[in-house]
Amino acid sequence: MDFEFTPEEKDFQKEVREFMDREVNEGVIAETESLQGAGPYSKELIRKLGSRRMLTPSWPEEYGGRGLTVMADSIFMYELTYHRGPFPLDGVEIARCLLHMGPEHLKKRFLLPVARGEIDVALGYTEPDAGSDLASVKLRAVEDGDEYILNGQKIYNTEAHHCEYHWILVRTDPDAPKHKGLSIFIVDLNSPGITIRPLYTSSGLRTNEVFYEDVRVPKENMVSEKNGGWSFAQNALRGGAGAPDGALRQRFDSWHEYLLGPGRDIWQKNPWVTDEMANYYIALHVHDLLAFRQSAMVDNGMPVTYEGPMIPAIGGPLRKAFFHAVMRMMGPYGQLAEGSKWVPLEGAMSRDFLDSCRQTVIHGANEVQKILVARALGLSRK
Amino acid sequence: MDIRLSEEQEMLKNAARDFLTEKCPKTLVRELEKDDQGYSPQMWQEIADLGWLGLIFPEKYGGGDMSFLDLAVLLEEMGRACFPGPFLPTVTLGGLPILDFGTEDQQQKYLPEIASGKAIFTTAILEPGDSKYKAASIKVKAAADNDGYVLNGTKLFVPDAHVADYILCVARTKDSAKAEDGITIFIVDAGSPGITTTLLKTIGGDKQCEVAFDNVKVPEGNILGKLNEGWSIVQNIIERAALAKCCEMVGGMQAVLEMTVEYANQRVQFDRPIASFQLIQEHCVNIVIDADSSRMITYEAAWRLSNGLPYSMEAAMAKAWAGDAYVRVTTLASQVHGGVGIMEDHDMTLYFRRAKAGELFLGDARFHREAVARGLQFETV
């Protein structure tokens, strides 16, 4: 039993931290805080990270990694998000699926550019009528010679507007049982016929509708076997969902720092505040332990079942609860938005409070995550 | 990071589980709840012979030279089995403090007795009225007298005092502006004249006592640590014994999780196992979240302790978290079990009642969160 990182992992963590301290500049932070996706500063950072093989440390060297443990991937994500770097990097999680399950010709084409931070791939799953019931997707792909013609619509594809490619789940056989008529394609988002329209959440975060109108995609861009896309879809989702939440830790630390400094009165006049802070310190810590546990289990060859979906099942509600608690601690000041006179911490907390609603519905609704845990525990389904 | 037990720890765990499954069935647990002594002297000797009592003491004292982490594995099995008796008090309220703060003479005298099963130990901290684990609540007085001290006052909630051979009594030897100054720990022979022990009735099934000290004489050589400087040792005792309790609670939570999943799969209502209902599934998911998170923080603290790393923060976090978690787990599990789960003769109620006792043992969640808050530099004025 060991609760420390290996010497290799510690070295990597140190290297990543030093890099982040140096390179995550005001431009990157502003883009992250803007909730508009990865802008030019963020992309520059991602390229630099990629050129140092930091984005995908567990990947084989031939694909742009360092052959380190899966834990190193988690360490990287934690440090990236803690330092307020661009997140999520859907492309990395998607490419990981490609690495494990994809056809050789697509691995050769995409893995290195993703690992180098040269291209990014957006997740393209959700449709207006297919959220939790993902297998209900309707976006149709019809075979036509060497190509497929795609028609339909995706929604809440948050990274689409700044990515080069789209990893989409489409219906290739409308007559087969739901799960068995699906395929995955990687589509060039510059293809004629694709329209991206912004949508905004209550926190101002930009997401997108993506419309496909007679979009022609080469057959070789089909990732799965025809109609074998469901297992790919599930695999690509799993990776990101189990990450430890460095961004939440950053918010805890900055609120903690505020309380010890300008916000002294808040806890000195209200003892319950310190109890809440202690409670969330513990809650964040155990969540991190469980998230790192998953990586450790993978690295130690232990089968991961319920331990995976358990993490987002905890993490989403934890985020919500934490920001609700911070709002309570702030009292009336919590209602102030960014740019307002008197707003503490530049409005970050109220913005995250609004954004926290999103955390329990993305990458699998919390209810679905819990059902996955329940199934993995062996609870009867019927 | 690696969550796997070592080969030795696996062997210890399996041996403990086998022994406890055979020798400590729930029928015996219930019998011993009703029994005043609360433990089986025969089984006490058996576990001494197995090396459990001396597990973490040096070989020279008849111990096994194993670590706190190894003890954690054993304690988890005991929690799973609801093992009755003064194991945790003897080893962690008596043995550990003497090991780390006792004189050579004290170690040579008491540790072999613990390891061989001859001596049962406990520690008396809380008192009636202001029953807190805080220095200001210590009012039992120890006055200097001839070649020793005389103790006067009453202690409450003392685990297993009625069967203990020795009681570590936390007393005030000097009045001071700062409550933490002037506290001394005395190793008291439980058979000393002037000690009156009254067994309390608890809902947890454990044995706790009121212990009244009426002019009880204690020799100077029985001071543990230094005169007037005992409070830091008391804090250390609380830290480690509370962590030991967390290990037991983790074992209890795991047993409850398994029991509950099994029950939900077997119990058929509306022509289907109740496990297929989502509200039941959610209860089970919340149980495993609490059980696993408690396991992680508890073992992290135990690992740190065993590897010479600072562990106070993690120990406080573990007790705060696991203490509340066990209560949540048993409340939900009880719910899943429906009617049978509240019946006195069902195992569910054994765990439910122990969860409550565990929550309160050596400081509840709020108490330990105060320690965490101090660690976060929220010093209260």
Side-chain angles (χ1 to χ4, degrees):
Chain A
M1 191 173 278
D2 197 333
F3 280 84
E4 271 186 338
F5 296 136
T6 64
E8 237 185 3
E9 287 162 0
K10 281 192 215 170
D11 283 343
F12 179 68
Q13 182 184 46
K14 185 160 176 279
E15 184 191 337
V16 172
R17 278 185 183 165
E18 283 169 3
F19 181 88
M20 296 291 181
D21 284 340
R22 250 188 355 257
E23 302 284 346
V24 179
N25 53 39
E26 294 296 320
V28 173
I29 292 174
E31 284 173 3
T32 301
E33 298 289 345
S34 76
L35 303 177
Q36 301 305 295
Y41 286 100
S42 303
K43 285 193 178 288
E44 171 72 9
L45 176 73
I46 292 168
R47 271 192 297 276
K48 281 185 180 169
L49 287 166
S51 71
R52 282 164 181 73
R53 299 171 177 266
M54 279 184 183
L55 283 178
T56 55
S58 75
W59 291 13
E61 285 189 30
E62 68 179 292
Y63 288 126
R66 298 186 185 197
L68 295 180
T69 53
V70 165
M71 183 64 81
D73 291 341
S74 293
I75 290 171
F76 168 72
M77 282 301 172
Y78 195 87
E79 293 302 328
L80 178 71
T81 50
Y82 186 83
H83 286 84
R84 297 194 281 174
F87 190 79
L89 299 178
D90 276 349
V92 169
E93 296 317 317
I94 286 164
R96 193 194 306 279
C97 168
L98 202 54
L99 175 69
H100 290 141
M101 296 169 71
E104 276 311 306
H105 69 282
L106 290 178
K107 278 163 127 165
K108 285 192 166 59
R109 216 174 121 191
F110 287 100
L111 291 184
L112 219 39
V114 169
R116 285 201 191 119
E118 290 161 4
I119 62 164
D120 204 355
V121 186
L123 214 52
Y125 287 168
T126 309
E127 293 179 5
D129 289 336
S132 290
D133 186 7
L134 187 57
S136 292
V137 296
K138 289 198 201 102
L139 197 154
R140 188 81 170 83
V142 177
E143 210 168 328
D144 182 35
D146 282 339
E147 295 172 319
Y148 275 81
I149 304 179
L150 272 53
N151 275 288
Q153 182 201 348
K154 292 293 184 190
I155 195 170
Y156 308 137
N157 286 186
T158 304
E159 311 305 309
H161 63 294
H162 63 82
C163 287
E164 290 77 16
Y165 287 88
H166 205 194
W167 171 275
I168 52 167
L169 183 66
V170 306
R171 186 156 302 284
T172 31
D173 186 349
D175 300 318
K178 262 192 343 190
H179 296 82
K180 300 196 168 154
L182 301 170
S183 307
I184 296 261
F185 280 88
I186 293 188
V187 180
D188 182 339
L189 278 166
N190 279 323
S191 307
I194 296 181
T195 311
I196 299 173
R197 264 197 232 137
L199 294 171
Y200 297 95
T201 71
S202 60
S203 64
L205 178 132
R206 176 182 169 163
T207 180
N208 304 289
E209 287 178 297
V210 185
F211 296 91
Y212 275 67
E213 202 177 319
D214 292 331
V215 179
R216 293 186 162 272
V217 182
K219 265 191 178 156
E220 72 221 29
N221 283 40
M222 187 187 283
V223 178
S224 62
E225 294 283 316
K226 185 176 176 185
N227 296 326
W230 185 238
S231 55
F232 280 76
Q234 290 181 302
N235 185 284
L237 249 188
R238 222 162 272 149
D245 196 342
L248 182 58
R249 171 73 60 185
Q250 188 277 330
R251 289 300 198 240
F252 180 93
D253 285 352
S254 69
W255 179 241
H256 183 202
E257 199 184 304
Y258 181 81
L259 285 176
L260 292 178
R264 273 204 109 66
D265 269 2
I266 295 177
W267 62 274
Q268 286 188 340
K269 294 192 171 146
N270 301 292
W272 59 267
V273 169
T274 59
D275 189 62
E276 285 265 43
M277 287 300 280
N279 182 48
Y280 283 101
Y281 185 79
I282 302 170
L284 261 66
H285 184 75
V286 300
H287 173 249
D288 282 351
L289 281 175
L290 290 170
F292 284 123
R293 172 176 78 163
Q294 189 192 8
S295 300
M297 288 177 75
V298 172
D299 286 328
N300 291 319
M302 298 171 76
V304 174
T305 59
Y306 73 85
E307 298 89 348
M310 178 189 245
I311 298 155
I314 301 169
L318 174 60
R319 239 181 187 271
K320 272 171 133 156
F322 174 70
F323 289 110
H324 278 255
V326 172
M327 297 297 275
R328 281 193 301 270
M329 291 184 230
M330 281 183 162
Y333 294 89
Q335 296 169 95
L336 298 176
E338 194 179 346
S340 171
K341 189 178 179 190
W342 296 98
V343 72
L345 292 169
E346 294 155 353
M349 296 301 171
S350 52
R351 191 174 59 244
D352 279 356
F353 166 74
L354 289 173
D355 195 59
S356 67
C357 299
R358 187 173 62 97
Q359 302 296 337
T360 47
V361 298
I362 59 169
H363 280 246
N366 196 251
E367 290 75 4
V368 170
Q369 301 292 0
K370 285 184 170 174
I371 289 172
L372 293 176
V373 174
R375 283 192 194 157
L377 285 176
L379 289 164
S380 294
R381 288 164 73 154
K382 41 180 180 284
Chain B
M1 186 180 184
D2 192 341
I3 60 166
R4 292 172 298 184
L5 297 178
S6 70
E7 214 176 293
E8 264 190 334
Q9 286 160 352
E10 282 287 354
M11 278 168 53
L12 175 62
K13 183 188 179 78
N14 293 331
R17 188 167 299 195
D18 288 345
F19 177 88
L20 292 167
T21 303
E22 194 199 322
K23 300 286 183 96
C24 189
K26 297 298 188 297
T27 44
L28 178 65
V29 172
R30 282 198 193 85
E31 250 176 65
L32 290 173
E33 276 191 6
K34 298 194 177 75
D35 170 72
D36 273 359
Q37 273 206 314
Y39 79 108
S40 154
Q42 186 194 347
M43 198 154 52
W44 189 257
Q45 194 51 55
E46 283 183 80
I47 67 170
D49 294 340
L50 282 171
W52 290 6
L53 283 161
L55 200 82
I56 54 170
F57 304 132
E59 258 183 78
K60 65 180 174 180
Y61 300 128
D65 237 338
M66 293 175 88
S67 70
F68 192 93
L69 190 57
D70 301 320
L71 180 68
V73 173
L74 177 59
L75 285 165
E76 187 184 335
E77 291 305 309
M78 289 180 158
R80 180 188 181 88
C82 302
F83 181 71
F87 181 86
L88 191 150
T90 297
V91 173
T92 69
L93 291 177
L96 268 182
I98 290 170
L99 177 66
D100 289 328
F101 302 102
T103 62
E104 188 67 38
D105 282 346
Q106 288 168 343
Q107 290 180 30
Q108 278 175 7
K109 176 167 187 224
Y110 299 115
L111 297 181
E113 284 190 7
I114 291 177
S116 63
K118 287 204 192 68
I120 291 171
F121 272 78
T122 188
T123 291
I125 306 173
L126 293 177
E127 299 179 11
D130 188 26
S131 304
K132 293 200 184 76
Y133 293 100
K134 302 211 169 171
S137 304
I138 305 297
K139 304 226 167 48
V140 163
K141 273 202 153 37
D145 179 58
N146 297 340
D147 55 352
Y149 288 80
V150 178
L151 300 178
N152 275 290
T154 307
K155 288 294 190 188
L156 204 53
F157 305 113
V158 186
D160 302 294
H162 64 314
V163 298
D165 299 290
Y166 300 96
I167 301 172
L168 269 60
C169 182
V170 178
R172 186 163 290 287
T173 35
K174 186 180 81 171
D175 282 321
S176 175
K178 201 161 160 249
E180 287 78 8
D181 286 335
I183 289 179
T184 309
I185 303 175
F186 293 90
I187 304 172
V188 182
D189 185 326
S192 306
I195 297 182
T196 312
T197 303
T198 309
L199 183 61
L200 304 171
K201 284 193 164 71
T202 66
I203 60 172
D206 54 339
K207 305 296 173 188
Q208 296 183 45
C209 301
E210 174 203 83
V211 183
F213 294 85
D214 185 10
N215 289 326
V216 178
K217 289 191 193 319
V218 187
E220 181 150 7
N222 281 33
I223 291 177
L224 183 71
K226 292 197 175 67
L227 180 69
N228 294 324
E229 293 177 27
W231 187 248
S232 62
I233 298 178
V234 175
Q235 287 179 306
N236 183 272
I237 292 174
I238 290 173
E239 243 171 34
R240 292 194 292 181
L243 183 57
K245 178 57 72 179
C246 291
C247 302
E248 281 185 2
M249 295 196 287
V250 166
M253 282 187 255
Q254 186 63 31
V256 168
L257 168 67
E258 291 168 20
M259 193 166 83
T260 305
V261 168
E262 195 187 322
Y263 180 79
N265 280 332
Q266 280 171 3
R267 173 71 174 169
V268 172
Q269 288 287 269
F270 306 105
D271 300 317
R272 49 198 273 201
I274 63 171
S276 64
F277 292 114
Q278 287 191 354
L279 290 173
I280 297 292
Q281 289 176 4
E282 178 162 55
H283 290 335
C284 295
V285 170
N286 287 333
I287 288 171
V288 73
I289 287 173
D290 265 334
D292 276 24
S293 54
S294 301
R295 174 184 295 284
M296 292 302 289
I297 184 61
T298 296
Y299 275 94
E300 183 188 20
W303 175 83
R304 291 182 70 88
L305 202 175
S306 301
N307 282 279
L309 296 167
Y311 64 89
S312 296
M313 192 66 159
E314 287 77 10
M317 288 161 75
K319 186 57 169 60
W321 189 262
D324 276 359
Y326 198 12
V327 171
R328 285 193 296 261
V329 163
T330 50
T331 303
L332 285 176
S334 209
Q335 186 62 21
V336 173
H337 280 83
V340 303
I342 59 170
M343 291 295 119
E344 181 227 21
D345 61 350
H346 195 281
D347 287 356
M348 192 55 246
T349 55
L350 292 175
Y351 293 101
F352 182 83
R353 292 185 286 107
R354 272 153 189 73
K356 192 52 176 170
E359 179 202 348
L360 300 172
F361 182 74
L362 293 180
D364 65 2
R366 211 163 259 150
F367 174 81
H368 288 279
R369 281 199 298 268
E370 280 176 15
V372 173
R374 283 193 296 275
L376 294 174
Q377 299 162 65
F378 291 116
E379 294 294 343
T380 41
V381 176

